[in-house]
């Protein structure tokens, strides 16, 4: 495979230099209007309250997702609340003290503990001590698949064996067979365990997508496998048509959601990166239009400590490449039209 950093050169280097592109073009919002990791109308008030030390709105939010079995939203809210608690945790400890057996408080506490251990050089050792917290969260509500997503992440970080992973995966599937968060966690475990064996990861992702409804987020799982392949820099090549099929599947899923919608923003940001890497500039530009003002840290934080700045740089590059590809002067260029296809020699 071509060196990963070389493949990222078209996106430029991370820069904190003030930008001068401030006017909307091509149906895109102006730079100043783009938001990074914007919370939705439900999460925003909970975060504001947590900043004041009040846990009640967060408790009400997570209780509603649990009672309504809104597992994807619940998973996303737990991740965001735990991330907030990394720097402001008073509200969480007050919640745990007031309701030590609350399934929602236990879940955020378990996620925070995993996040804390993950950033330590002693990750595997610290994660072993987190297991009781995950178990407590899982036992608090047996229907909830989110503790099992956390357990799958924990298995990856603690380098658990395939037998144990398989048991966790089966338990997650019994609770929510289409839960996207658990599928992503499983794919990450397999990618770590099968480092360099991207075809096996694609097999897993493709099977899951084929078994999922057309409007399920699991349809985007092969794009996660494509992203891992395109950013890994090791292992045997994956056939270009497999990368294209993964992108096509996610493009079809994206079209099912409204434009400028927060819910699919994360999926669309990852898809935009993959489409740009495949030189599908027009398709990438269309995803930017659908993203609107909603940039997400991932995947751009993988390449810069300024993810919003990197998103805006890539957006400029896609806009320029799409315009060049559509130019009549390049009509005979084999990479014209639909942004071009990745060639076997590229990987």
């Amino acid at each position: 495979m071509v060196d990963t950093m070389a493949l990222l050169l078209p996106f430029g280097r991370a820069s904190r230099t003030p930008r001068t592109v401030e006017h909307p073009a091509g149906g895109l919002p102006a730079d100043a209007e783009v938001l990074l990791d914007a919370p939705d109308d439900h999460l925003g008030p909970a975060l504001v309250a947590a900043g004041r030390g009040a846990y009640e709105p967060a408790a009400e939010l997570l209780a509603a997702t649990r009672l309504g079995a809104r597992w994807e939203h619940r998973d996303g809210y737990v991740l965001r609340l735990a991330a907030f608690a990394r720097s402001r945790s008073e509200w969480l400890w007050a919640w745990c003290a007031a309701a030590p057996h609350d399934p929602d408080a236990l879940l955020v506490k378990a996620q925070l503990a995993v996040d804390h251990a993950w950033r330590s050089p002693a990750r595997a050792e610290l994660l072993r001590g987190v297991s009781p917290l995950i178990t407590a969260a899982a036992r608090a509500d047996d229907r909830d698949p989110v503790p099992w997503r956390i357990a799958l992440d924990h298995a990856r970080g603690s380098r658990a064996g395939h037998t144990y992973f398989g048991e966790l995966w089966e338990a997650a599937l019994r609770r929510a067979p289409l839960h996207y968060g658990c599928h992503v966690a499983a794919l990450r475990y397999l990618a770590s365990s099968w480092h360099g064996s991207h075809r096996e990861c694609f097999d897993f992702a493709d099977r899951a997508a084929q078994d999922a409804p057309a409007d399920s987020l699991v349809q985007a799982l092969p794009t996660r496998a494509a992203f891992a392949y395109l950013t890994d820099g090791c292992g045997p090549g994956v056939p270009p048509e497999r990368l294209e099929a993964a992108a096509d599947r996610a493009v079809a899923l994206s079209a099912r959601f409204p434009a400028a919608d927060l819910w699919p923003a994360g999926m669309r940001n990852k898809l935009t990166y993959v489409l740009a890497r495949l030189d599908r500039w027009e398709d990438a530009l269309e995803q930017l239009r659908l993203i609107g003002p909603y940039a997400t840290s991932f995947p751009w934080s993988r390449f810069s400590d300024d993810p919003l700045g990197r998103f805006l740089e890539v957006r400029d590059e896609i806009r320029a490449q799409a315009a060049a590809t559509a130019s009549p002067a390049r009509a005979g260029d084999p990479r014209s039209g639909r942004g071009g296809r990745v060639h076997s020699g590229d990987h």
Side-chain angles (χ1 to χ4, degrees):
M1 178 184 286
V2 177
D3 178 70
T4 302
M5 290 307 297
L7 288 169
L8 292 175
L9 287 178
F11 293 165
R13 294 184 178 276
S15 172
R16 295 184 180 275
T17 303
R19 294 169 52 83
T20 58
V21 180
E22 292 297 340
H23 301 287
L28 304 181
D31 288 3
E33 297 174 352
V34 178
L35 306 172
L36 183 69
D37 298 329
D40 66 19
D41 292 341
H42 304 287
L43 179 61
L47 292 174
V48 170
R52 298 196 300 262
Y55 65 84
E56 290 84 0
E60 293 173 4
L61 174 63
L62 290 185
T65 62
R66 178 167 46 85
L67 295 175
R70 294 166 51 222
W71 305 127
E72 302 292 1
H73 286 87
R74 178 175 178 80
D75 203 354
Y77 293 153
V78 165
L79 287 165
R80 292 292 298 275
L81 288 167
F84 186 83
R86 290 203 294 266
S87 57
R88 297 289 300 275
S89 61
E90 299 87 354
W91 62 277
L92 177 58
W93 304 132
W95 185 8
C96 292
H101 304 294
D102 187 315
D104 309 311
L106 290 171
L107 191 58
V108 178
K109 184 178 179 181
Q111 182 66 62
L112 177 62
V114 170
D115 290 347
H116 175 73
W118 204 271
R119 299 192 307 277
S120 170
R123 175 193 301 173
E125 180 179 353
L126 289 176
L127 282 173
R128 282 192 286 272
V130 174
S131 293
L133 296 178
I134 302 174
T135 299
R139 288 176 175 171
D141 189 327
D142 190 57
R143 302 175 308 141
D144 188 357
V146 181
W148 298 94
R149 191 271 301 156
I150 299 175
L152 290 167
D153 285 338
H154 179 274
R156 174 167 56 99
S158 59
R159 301 174 183 172
H162 281 266
T163 300
Y164 179 61
F165 162 79
E167 293 172 355
L168 296 177
W169 177 237
E170 289 297 327
L173 287 180
R174 285 197 300 272
R175 286 158 178 82
L178 294 174
H179 181 53
Y180 181 62
C182 286
H183 279 80
V184 171
L187 183 64
R188 286 174 169 170
Y189 172 90
L190 296 173
S192 176
S193 178
W194 294 336
H195 188 58
S197 300
H198 292 284
R199 294 181 188 233
E200 289 86 347
C201 292
F202 266 97
D203 289 344
F204 170 79
D206 286 340
R207 284 195 301 269
Q210 288 165 7
D211 292 340
D215 60 351
S216 169
L217 283 178
V218 177
Q219 292 292 336
L221 198 65
T223 309
R224 293 297 298 248
F227 176 85
Y229 170 69
L230 291 169
T231 57
D232 189 7
C234 75
V238 171
E241 57 271 17
R242 200 158 195 186
L243 298 172
E244 298 287 355
D248 289 342
R249 199 182 273 277
V251 166
L253 175 64
S254 178
R256 290 178 170 270
F257 295 103
D261 187 354
L262 264 172
W263 175 241
M267 178 268 292
R268 285 170 169 163
N269 274 251
K270 290 184 284 289
L271 175 57
T272 298
Y273 174 86
V274 170
L275 289 168
R277 285 291 301 272
L278 299 181
D279 290 351
R280 290 173 57 169
W281 303 110
E282 285 292 342
D283 287 343
L285 182 60
E286 177 59 21
Q287 290 307 310
L288 288 173
R289 294 188 183 108
L290 292 172
I291 287 169
Y294 299 126
T296 56
S297 289
F298 189 81
W300 317 114
S301 59
R302 283 284 301 271
F303 317 113
S304 171
D305 60 0
D306 178 14
L308 178 57
R310 177 50 59 91
F311 170 82
L312 295 173
E313 289 171 0
V314 172
R315 195 174 73 150
D316 288 346
E317 175 68 13
I318 290 171
R319 185 160 43 194
Q321 291 285 359
T325 301
S327 171
R330 296 190 55 176
D333 190 329
R335 296 166 77 87
S336 297
R338 205 185 173 198
R341 293 286 188 173
V342 68
H343 303 290
S344 59
D346 291 345
H347 302 286

